[in-house]
Amino acid sequence: MSKKGLDEMQLQRKNKVGNQSFLILMYLLMLDAGLYGFGFRWVSYPANIMIILSICSAVYVVRLIKGNAYVGPSNEKEKPILRVVINIVVAISSATAIILFLKNTHFNNVNQIDSMAAPILFITSITAIIIVALTGIIRKIQNKDDKEKGH
């Protein structure tokens, strides 16, 4: 087993779950488009896609964690805190740049996001941060278990 990544069984499980999650995403988007074609609108445009993507992503991550195929064992030399801080800084910088770009364009008045989409985007961002934190915890537990087993 590679100390950097997942073993073969974990990779196969991850690929299987990923393929199934992609198919679920595709079917849910097709169902949403079909319902929209029949005049049924459960949430307006940007929010419905974000809800579907969030649900499929959550199912994907939960199934990977449950199947022990989310993270592999790591080396002791890694600095996960530095990596997390760098990722947060890059995400905040990217979000700020996108917001400033959209604020200065004429698209702001044409396609406004309704009142439901902003909380959904906020919840999605908070969920992503929680997933990053849980990943760190899972990795520490997994490495601790590997050390106890003698690997």
Side-chain angles (χ1 to χ4, degrees), residues 36-77:
Y36 184 79
F38 286 116
F40 180 75
R41 294 182 181 106
W42 58 288
V43 181
S44 63
Y45 165 64
N48 64 346
I49 302 299
M50 289 305 297
I51 290 171
I52 292 171
L53 286 173
S54 298
I55 290 171
C56 290
S57 298
V59 167
Y60 174 71
V61 170
V62 167
R63 287 186 64 200
L64 285 184
I65 291 171
K66 184 179 175 193
N68 196 21
Y70 191 64
V71 293
S74 65
N75 293 332
E76 293 295 321
K77 298 176 184 176

Short mmCIF file of all heavy atoms in Angstrom, two decimals, residues 36-77:
data_model
loop_
_atom_site.label_atom_id
_atom_site.label_comp_id
_atom_site.label_asym_id
_atom_site.label_seq_id
_atom_site.Cartn_x
_atom_site.Cartn_y
_atom_site.Cartn_z
N TYR A 36 -39.23 21.20 -14.85
CA TYR A 36 -39.25 22.60 -15.29
C TYR A 36 -39.99 22.73 -16.62
O TYR A 36 -40.74 23.68 -16.82
CB TYR A 36 -37.81 23.12 -15.42
CG TYR A 36 -37.72 24.58 -15.78
CD1 TYR A 36 -37.91 25.56 -14.82
CD2 TYR A 36 -37.45 24.97 -17.09
CE1 TYR A 36 -37.83 26.89 -15.15
CE2 TYR A 36 -37.37 26.31 -17.43
CZ TYR A 36 -37.56 27.26 -16.45
OH TYR A 36 -37.47 28.58 -16.78
N GLY A 37 -39.80 21.74 -17.50
CA GLY A 37 -40.49 21.75 -18.79
C GLY A 37 -42.00 21.62 -18.65
O GLY A 37 -42.77 22.12 -19.46
N PHE A 38 -42.45 20.93 -17.60
CA PHE A 38 -43.88 20.78 -17.34
C PHE A 38 -44.45 21.92 -16.50
O PHE A 38 -45.62 21.90 -16.14
CB PHE A 38 -44.18 19.45 -16.65
CG PHE A 38 -44.07 18.27 -17.56
CD1 PHE A 38 -43.11 17.31 -17.34
CD2 PHE A 38 -44.93 18.11 -18.64
CE1 PHE A 38 -43.00 16.21 -18.17
CE2 PHE A 38 -44.83 17.03 -19.47
CZ PHE A 38 -43.86 16.06 -19.25
N GLY A 39 -43.61 22.90 -16.18
CA GLY A 39 -44.08 24.08 -15.45
C GLY A 39 -43.96 23.99 -13.93
O GLY A 39 -44.41 24.88 -13.23
N PHE A 40 -43.35 22.93 -13.43
CA PHE A 40 -43.18 22.79 -11.99
C PHE A 40 -41.83 23.36 -11.59
O PHE A 40 -40.79 22.88 -12.02
CB PHE A 40 -43.28 21.32 -11.57
CG PHE A 40 -43.11 21.11 -10.10
CD1 PHE A 40 -44.13 21.42 -9.22
CD2 PHE A 40 -41.93 20.59 -9.60
CE1 PHE A 40 -43.98 21.22 -7.87
CE2 PHE A 40 -41.77 20.39 -8.24
CZ PHE A 40 -42.79 20.71 -7.37
N ARG A 41 -41.83 24.40 -10.78
CA ARG A 41 -40.59 25.04 -10.32
C ARG A 41 -40.55 25.00 -8.81
O ARG A 41 -41.24 25.74 -8.14
CB ARG A 41 -40.53 26.47 -10.83
CG ARG A 41 -40.43 26.52 -12.32
CD ARG A 41 -40.30 27.93 -12.85
NE ARG A 41 -40.23 27.89 -14.29
CZ ARG A 41 -41.21 28.24 -15.10
NH1 ARG A 41 -42.33 28.68 -14.61
NH2 ARG A 41 -41.05 28.17 -16.40
N TRP A 42 -39.77 24.11 -8.26
CA TRP A 42 -39.68 23.97 -6.82
C TRP A 42 -38.78 25.03 -6.21
O TRP A 42 -39.02 25.48 -5.10
CB TRP A 42 -39.25 22.56 -6.43
CG TRP A 42 -37.94 22.11 -7.00
CD1 TRP A 42 -37.68 21.77 -8.29
CD2 TRP A 42 -36.73 21.93 -6.29
NE1 TRP A 42 -36.37 21.40 -8.44
CE2 TRP A 42 -35.77 21.49 -7.21
CE3 TRP A 42 -36.36 22.10 -4.97
CZ2 TRP A 42 -34.46 21.21 -6.85
CZ3 TRP A 42 -35.05 21.81 -4.61
CH2 TRP A 42 -34.12 21.38 -5.54
N VAL A 43 -37.72 25.45 -6.92
CA VAL A 43 -36.84 26.56 -6.54
C VAL A 43 -36.35 27.17 -7.84
O VAL A 43 -36.19 26.48 -8.83
CB VAL A 43 -35.63 26.07 -5.70
CG1 VAL A 43 -34.74 27.21 -5.29
CG2 VAL A 43 -36.08 25.32 -4.46
N SER A 44 -36.10 28.47 -7.83
CA SER A 44 -35.67 29.11 -9.08
C SER A 44 -34.27 28.67 -9.48
O SER A 44 -33.55 28.03 -8.71
CB SER A 44 -35.75 30.62 -8.93
OG SER A 44 -34.86 31.05 -7.94
N TYR A 45 -33.85 29.07 -10.67
CA TYR A 45 -32.72 28.49 -11.39
C TYR A 45 -31.41 28.31 -10.61
O TYR A 45 -30.99 27.18 -10.48
CB TYR A 45 -32.45 29.26 -12.68
CG TYR A 45 -31.11 28.95 -13.27
CD1 TYR A 45 -30.82 27.68 -13.73
CD2 TYR A 45 -30.11 29.91 -13.33
CE1 TYR A 45 -29.58 27.37 -14.24
CE2 TYR A 45 -28.88 29.61 -13.85
CZ TYR A 45 -28.61 28.35 -14.30
OH TYR A 45 -27.40 28.05 -14.80
N PRO A 46 -30.73 29.29 -10.14
CA PRO A 46 -29.41 28.95 -9.59
C PRO A 46 -29.51 28.10 -8.32
O PRO A 46 -28.67 27.27 -8.06
CB PRO A 46 -28.74 30.27 -9.29
CG PRO A 46 -29.71 31.33 -9.59
CD PRO A 46 -30.96 30.71 -10.08
N ALA A 47 -30.57 28.30 -7.56
CA ALA A 47 -30.69 27.59 -6.29
C ALA A 47 -30.97 26.10 -6.51
O ALA A 47 -30.45 25.27 -5.77
CB ALA A 47 -31.78 28.22 -5.46
N ASN A 48 -31.77 25.75 -7.51
CA ASN A 48 -32.10 24.34 -7.71
C ASN A 48 -30.86 23.53 -8.08
O ASN A 48 -30.67 22.41 -7.60
CB ASN A 48 -33.20 24.17 -8.74
CG ASN A 48 -32.82 24.64 -10.12
OD1 ASN A 48 -31.83 25.32 -10.32
ND2 ASN A 48 -33.65 24.30 -11.09
N ILE A 49 -29.99 24.07 -8.90
CA ILE A 49 -28.77 23.38 -9.28
C ILE A 49 -27.85 23.24 -8.06
O ILE A 49 -27.23 22.19 -7.84
CB ILE A 49 -28.05 24.12 -10.42
CG1 ILE A 49 -28.95 24.24 -11.66
CG2 ILE A 49 -26.74 23.43 -10.78
CD1 ILE A 49 -29.39 22.94 -12.25
N MET A 50 -27.74 24.30 -7.26
CA MET A 50 -26.88 24.24 -6.07
C MET A 50 -27.39 23.21 -5.07
O MET A 50 -26.60 22.50 -4.46
CB MET A 50 -26.78 25.62 -5.41
CG MET A 50 -25.98 26.63 -6.19
SD MET A 50 -24.32 26.08 -6.59
CE MET A 50 -23.61 25.90 -4.96
N ILE A 51 -28.70 23.10 -4.92
CA ILE A 51 -29.25 22.11 -4.00
C ILE A 51 -28.94 20.69 -4.50
O ILE A 51 -28.49 19.84 -3.72
CB ILE A 51 -30.77 22.30 -3.83
CG1 ILE A 51 -31.06 23.59 -3.06
CG2 ILE A 51 -31.40 21.11 -3.12
CD1 ILE A 51 -32.53 23.95 -3.03
N ILE A 52 -29.14 20.45 -5.77
CA ILE A 52 -28.87 19.13 -6.33
C ILE A 52 -27.39 18.79 -6.22
O ILE A 52 -27.03 17.68 -5.81
CB ILE A 52 -29.37 19.05 -7.79
CG1 ILE A 52 -30.90 19.11 -7.83
CG2 ILE A 52 -28.87 17.78 -8.48
CD1 ILE A 52 -31.48 19.26 -9.22
N LEU A 53 -26.51 19.73 -6.57
CA LEU A 53 -25.08 19.48 -6.45
C LEU A 53 -24.66 19.25 -5.01
O LEU A 53 -23.83 18.37 -4.73
CB LEU A 53 -24.29 20.66 -7.03
CG LEU A 53 -24.26 20.78 -8.54
CD1 LEU A 53 -23.59 22.08 -8.96
CD2 LEU A 53 -23.55 19.60 -9.16
N SER A 54 -25.23 20.01 -4.09
CA SER A 54 -24.89 19.84 -2.67
C SER A 54 -25.32 18.48 -2.15
O SER A 54 -24.57 17.81 -1.43
CB SER A 54 -25.54 20.94 -1.84
OG SER A 54 -25.08 22.20 -2.22
N ILE A 55 -26.51 18.05 -2.53
CA ILE A 55 -27.00 16.74 -2.08
C ILE A 55 -26.13 15.62 -2.64
O ILE A 55 -25.71 14.72 -1.91
CB ILE A 55 -28.48 16.56 -2.47
CG1 ILE A 55 -29.36 17.48 -1.64
CG2 ILE A 55 -28.91 15.10 -2.31
CD1 ILE A 55 -30.80 17.54 -2.10
N CYS A 56 -25.83 15.68 -3.93
CA CYS A 56 -25.01 14.63 -4.54
C CYS A 56 -23.59 14.63 -3.97
O CYS A 56 -23.02 13.56 -3.73
CB CYS A 56 -24.97 14.80 -6.06
SG CYS A 56 -26.55 14.43 -6.83
N SER A 57 -23.02 15.79 -3.74
CA SER A 57 -21.69 15.87 -3.14
C SER A 57 -21.69 15.31 -1.73
O SER A 57 -20.75 14.60 -1.33
CB SER A 57 -21.19 17.31 -3.12
OG SER A 57 -21.08 17.81 -4.41
N ALA A 58 -22.71 15.63 -0.97
CA ALA A 58 -22.80 15.12 0.40
C ALA A 58 -22.93 13.60 0.41
O ALA A 58 -22.27 12.92 1.20
CB ALA A 58 -23.97 15.77 1.12
N VAL A 59 -23.77 13.06 -0.47
CA VAL A 59 -23.92 11.61 -0.55
C VAL A 59 -22.59 10.96 -0.93
O VAL A 59 -22.18 9.95 -0.35
CB VAL A 59 -25.04 11.23 -1.56
CG1 VAL A 59 -25.01 9.76 -1.90
CG2 VAL A 59 -26.39 11.64 -1.02
N TYR A 60 -21.89 11.56 -1.88
CA TYR A 60 -20.59 11.05 -2.32
C TYR A 60 -19.59 11.00 -1.16
O TYR A 60 -18.96 9.97 -0.90
CB TYR A 60 -20.07 11.93 -3.46
CG TYR A 60 -18.68 11.59 -3.92
CD1 TYR A 60 -18.41 10.43 -4.63
CD2 TYR A 60 -17.62 12.46 -3.68
CE1 TYR A 60 -17.14 10.13 -5.07
CE2 TYR A 60 -16.34 12.17 -4.11
CZ TYR A 60 -16.11 11.00 -4.80
OH TYR A 60 -14.85 10.71 -5.24
N VAL A 61 -19.46 12.10 -0.44
CA VAL A 61 -18.49 12.18 0.65
C VAL A 61 -18.86 11.22 1.79
O VAL A 61 -18.00 10.52 2.32
CB VAL A 61 -18.36 13.64 1.15
CG1 VAL A 61 -17.55 13.70 2.43
CG2 VAL A 61 -17.72 14.50 0.09
N VAL A 62 -20.13 11.18 2.14
CA VAL A 62 -20.55 10.28 3.23
C VAL A 62 -20.29 8.83 2.86
O VAL A 62 -19.80 8.04 3.68
CB VAL A 62 -22.04 10.52 3.57
CG1 VAL A 62 -22.59 9.43 4.45
CG2 VAL A 62 -22.21 11.88 4.23
N ARG A 63 -20.58 8.46 1.62
CA ARG A 63 -20.34 7.07 1.20
C ARG A 63 -18.86 6.74 1.16
O ARG A 63 -18.45 5.63 1.49
CB ARG A 63 -20.98 6.82 -0.16
CG ARG A 63 -22.51 6.74 -0.07
CD ARG A 63 -23.13 6.34 -1.36
NE ARG A 63 -22.72 4.98 -1.73
CZ ARG A 63 -22.79 4.52 -2.97
NH1 ARG A 63 -23.26 5.28 -3.94
NH2 ARG A 63 -22.40 3.29 -3.24
N LEU A 64 -18.02 7.71 0.75
CA LEU A 64 -16.58 7.46 0.75
C LEU A 64 -16.05 7.31 2.17
O LEU A 64 -15.23 6.42 2.43
CB LEU A 64 -15.84 8.60 0.05
CG LEU A 64 -15.92 8.64 -1.46
CD1 LEU A 64 -15.06 9.78 -1.99
CD2 LEU A 64 -15.50 7.33 -2.08
N ILE A 65 -16.50 8.15 3.07
CA ILE A 65 -16.04 8.06 4.45
C ILE A 65 -16.51 6.74 5.06
O ILE A 65 -15.74 6.06 5.74
CB ILE A 65 -16.52 9.27 5.27
CG1 ILE A 65 -15.80 10.53 4.80
CG2 ILE A 65 -16.30 9.05 6.76
CD1 ILE A 65 -16.34 11.82 5.39
N LYS A 66 -17.76 6.37 4.82
CA LYS A 66 -18.29 5.12 5.36
C LYS A 66 -17.54 3.92 4.80
O LYS A 66 -17.31 2.94 5.50
CB LYS A 66 -19.78 5.02 5.03
CG LYS A 66 -20.44 3.81 5.63
CD LYS A 66 -21.91 3.77 5.29
CE LYS A 66 -22.52 2.48 5.81
NZ LYS A 66 -23.83 2.25 5.25
N GLY A 67 -17.14 3.98 3.55
CA GLY A 67 -16.42 2.89 2.92
C GLY A 67 -14.92 2.94 3.12
O GLY A 67 -14.19 2.17 2.51
N ASN A 68 -14.43 3.86 3.95
CA ASN A 68 -13.00 4.02 4.24
C ASN A 68 -12.18 4.22 2.96
O ASN A 68 -11.10 3.67 2.80
CB ASN A 68 -12.47 2.81 5.03
CG ASN A 68 -11.13 3.11 5.67
OD1 ASN A 68 -10.78 4.27 5.87
ND2 ASN A 68 -10.39 2.08 5.98
N ALA A 69 -12.72 5.02 2.05
CA ALA A 69 -12.03 5.30 0.79
C ALA A 69 -11.88 6.80 0.56
O ALA A 69 -11.70 7.24 -0.56
CB ALA A 69 -12.79 4.67 -0.37
N TYR A 70 -11.94 7.58 1.63
CA TYR A 70 -11.87 9.03 1.46
C TYR A 70 -10.44 9.53 1.49
O TYR A 70 -10.01 10.29 0.64
CB TYR A 70 -12.72 9.73 2.53
CG TYR A 70 -12.90 11.20 2.27
CD1 TYR A 70 -13.59 11.65 1.15
CD2 TYR A 70 -12.39 12.14 3.13
CE1 TYR A 70 -13.76 12.98 0.90
CE2 TYR A 70 -12.56 13.49 2.90
CZ TYR A 70 -13.25 13.91 1.78
OH TYR A 70 -13.41 15.23 1.54
N VAL A 71 -9.67 9.13 2.49
CA VAL A 71 -8.27 9.53 2.58
C VAL A 71 -7.43 8.30 2.87
O VAL A 71 -7.86 7.36 3.52
CB VAL A 71 -8.03 10.58 3.69
CG1 VAL A 71 -8.69 11.89 3.35
CG2 VAL A 71 -8.50 10.08 5.04
N GLY A 72 -6.22 8.34 2.35
CA GLY A 72 -5.28 7.27 2.63
C GLY A 72 -4.37 7.68 3.77
O GLY A 72 -4.43 8.81 4.27
N PRO A 73 -3.52 6.78 4.19
CA PRO A 73 -2.58 7.13 5.25
C PRO A 73 -1.60 8.18 4.76
O PRO A 73 -1.26 8.23 3.58
CB PRO A 73 -1.87 5.81 5.55
CG PRO A 73 -2.09 4.96 4.36
CD PRO A 73 -3.36 5.42 3.73
N SER A 74 -1.17 9.03 5.66
CA SER A 74 -0.28 10.11 5.26
C SER A 74 1.09 9.95 5.91
O SER A 74 1.26 9.21 6.87
CB SER A 74 -0.87 11.46 5.66
OG SER A 74 -0.94 11.56 7.07
N ASN A 75 2.04 10.66 5.37
CA ASN A 75 3.37 10.66 5.96
C ASN A 75 3.39 11.57 7.18
O ASN A 75 2.61 12.51 7.29
CB ASN A 75 4.39 11.18 4.94
CG ASN A 75 4.56 10.23 3.77
OD1 ASN A 75 4.36 9.04 3.92
ND2 ASN A 75 4.90 10.76 2.62
N GLU A 76 4.30 11.32 8.06
CA GLU A 76 4.41 12.13 9.27
C GLU A 76 4.93 13.53 8.98
O GLU A 76 4.73 14.44 9.75
CB GLU A 76 5.35 11.44 10.28
CG GLU A 76 4.79 10.15 10.83
CD GLU A 76 3.54 10.36 11.66
OE1 GLU A 76 3.48 11.35 12.41
OE2 GLU A 76 2.64 9.54 11.56
N LYS A 77 5.60 13.71 7.85
CA LYS A 77 6.23 14.98 7.53
C LYS A 77 5.26 16.03 7.00
O LYS A 77 5.63 17.18 6.83
CB LYS A 77 7.34 14.77 6.50
CG LYS A 77 8.46 13.89 7.01
CD LYS A 77 9.48 13.64 5.94
CE LYS A 77 10.54 12.68 6.42
NZ LYS A 77 11.49 12.33 5.38
#
